[in-house]
Amino acid sequence: GAFTAFEQPVADFDFIADELDGPIGDVRFLNLSENATDFIWDLGDGTITTEFEPMHEYGINRDILVQLISSTTNEGRFFCSDTIAKPVQPEWIVSFEVPNAFSPDYGEPAVREFGAVGSGVAEYSLRVYSPYGTLVWSTGELEEGHPSGRWDGQYRDKAAPQGAYTWEAMGLFVSGERFHKKGTVTILR
């Protein structure tokens, strides 16, 4: 009787994170599987693909478990598969920006308040000082990693006068990186 040896596939992959300058969270997968003809990737965020080497943009701040199932049908006679799962670390999506002006009395709602915008922020403090160095407002309010504290331009129940104020921000991103920024914000009335 004839004996046929079937090649057993071996699933394996590697990845390159943050290869592209533009997108944040991009990961290119390198398929290192052997003896396989078909591939099913579970990219860990609900995305399933059968591409040989997928490129994917992640929008989440954490390590992701990616699974690759490599299989072969051995010319349709015998199905063999191998599965591997590895943690993948996309680039952290972190930012913290502070506007340089606002107008409490007029304009779009977004320009009538002052506060930081960003993402991937674990904790922060934002303080605003008058031209004479008096602390007039501070916040550390966060909503799901986004700074949410907003100043309406009031100080001790009165409208703070038009002019340039200094601000200082310190904080920690979810990636573990600390930040310290300073600048000025002008109140326009």
Side-chain angles (χ1 to χ4, degrees):
F3 176 77
T4 309
F6 291 112
E7 295 282 325
Q8 182 66 35
V10 178
D12 194 16
F13 70 90
D14 204 351
F15 66 93
I16 302 170
D18 190 26
E19 185 177 42
L20 306 175
D21 284 343
I24 295 176
D26 63 291
V27 176
R28 182 161 64 94
F29 291 95
L30 307 173
N31 193 333
L32 307 175
S33 301
E34 294 172 29
N35 305 326
T37 54
D38 299 286
F39 309 95
I40 300 172
W41 297 83
D42 179 342
L43 299 182
D45 64 354
T47 305
I48 309 286
T49 180
T50 56
E51 285 175 73
F52 178 67
E53 291 190 328
M55 178 88 184
H56 192 59
E57 223 173 283
Y58 286 96
I60 34 186
N61 271 331
R62 59 175 170 75
D63 286 8
I64 294 147
L65 195 65
V66 171
Q67 183 173 281
L68 170 61
I69 303 167
S70 299
S71 61
T72 180
T73 54
N74 289 292
E75 291 139 27
R77 291 181 297 179
F78 190 69
F79 178 82
C80 298
S81 74
D82 185 39
T83 303
I84 189 168
K86 292 183 182 181
V88 169
Q89 301 87 24
E91 177 188 9
W92 291 91
I93 302 166
V94 295
S95 65
F96 189 88
E97 302 295 325
V98 178
N100 60 10
F102 75 116
S103 57
D105 307 323
Y106 59 89
E108 300 280 319
V111 301
R112 295 175 75 122
E113 295 179 319
F114 170 80
V117 292
S119 61
V121 179
E123 59 186 55
Y124 79 106
S125 74
L126 174 59
R127 295 185 174 96
V128 177
Y129 299 93
S130 76
Y132 311 104
T134 308
L135 177 67
V136 294
W137 181 77
S138 68
T139 186
E141 285 177 49
L142 268 176
E143 217 169 277
E144 295 177 6
H146 303 284
S148 57
R150 295 292 177 261
W151 182 36
D152 61 5
Q154 297 284 309
Y155 175 61
R156 292 190 174 162
D157 300 324
K158 291 194 181 97
Q162 175 165 307
Y165 292 69
T166 56
W167 60 263
E168 182 176 24
M170 286 184 280
L172 177 68
F173 288 124
V174 291
S175 59
E177 181 192 348
R178 297 202 159 274
F179 62 89
H180 185 186
K181 299 179 177 213
K182 293 178 178 183
T184 60
V185 57
T186 302
I187 296 181
L188 304 170
R189 294 206 178 269

